[in-house]
Amino acid sequence: MAKRREFPSKRQLELRLSGQAFEIPPLWDVLLIGHQAPIGPEAAKRMAESLAPGQFELIRVQKAPVEALLVRKSLLKALAPEPLVEILLEELTPLLGEDQVVRVQVEIVLHTGRTIRLE
């Protein structure tokens, strides 16, 4: 009979975390404002300021049909304005008319994982 070798067990624990911001008040994240929209960029900014003071930034663009974007500042902490605006315009301008205002919900989710060696 063959001699049985004993190998010490190596245990590992994998930990996966997911997190996302909870915003107060729970408003939209971005408004895309068309050139001929019934509410202009400045009026939209004033409306946002009355609901959530200091939480939104107005970004003007010169790409038809969009005149401006009203963006939640917390998004701009996670992602620079240029790539965020570029992605939003690329994905949403085909669906937007110059006379529209489109509300956008942007979800930024952080995924991370680590392996911890248990001995």
Side-chain angles (χ1 to χ4, degrees), residues 52-89:
Q55 292 189 28
F56 289 88
E57 183 173 320
L58 185 64
I59 300 173
R60 295 197 177 267
V61 295
Q62 296 301 318
K63 186 171 181 179
V66 178
E67 179 177 359
L69 290 87
L70 190 57
V71 181
R72 189 181 288 274
K73 287 181 180 180
S74 62
L75 286 175
L76 300 175
K77 290 179 182 176
L79 187 61
E82 295 79 18
L84 178 62
V85 169
E86 183 180 323
I87 291 167
L88 289 169
L89 293 177

Side-chain angles (χ1 to χ4, degrees), residues 19-106:
Q20 63 190 95
F22 179 75
E23 301 289 346
I24 300 289
L27 297 172
W28 65 87
D29 292 318
V30 180
L31 280 184
L32 274 74
I33 304 164
H35 284 286
Q36 304 299 320
I39 184 170
E42 293 301 326
K45 173 86 168 141
R46 286 192 302 274
M47 176 188 65
E49 282 297 315
S50 70
L51 294 171
Q55 292 189 28
F56 289 88
E57 183 173 320
L58 185 64
I59 300 173
R60 295 197 177 267
V61 295
Q62 296 301 318
K63 186 171 181 179
V66 178
E67 179 177 359
L69 290 87
L70 190 57
V71 181
R72 189 181 288 274
K73 287 181 180 180
S74 62
L75 286 175
L76 300 175
K77 290 179 182 176
L79 187 61
E82 295 79 18
L84 178 62
V85 169
E86 183 180 323
I87 291 167
L88 289 169
L89 293 177
E90 181 179 318
E91 297 296 331
L92 297 172
T93 52
L95 308 173
L96 180 68
E98 286 196 352
D99 61 341
Q100 291 181 301
V101 176
V102 173
R103 179 176 59 115
V104 181
Q105 188 70 35
V106 178

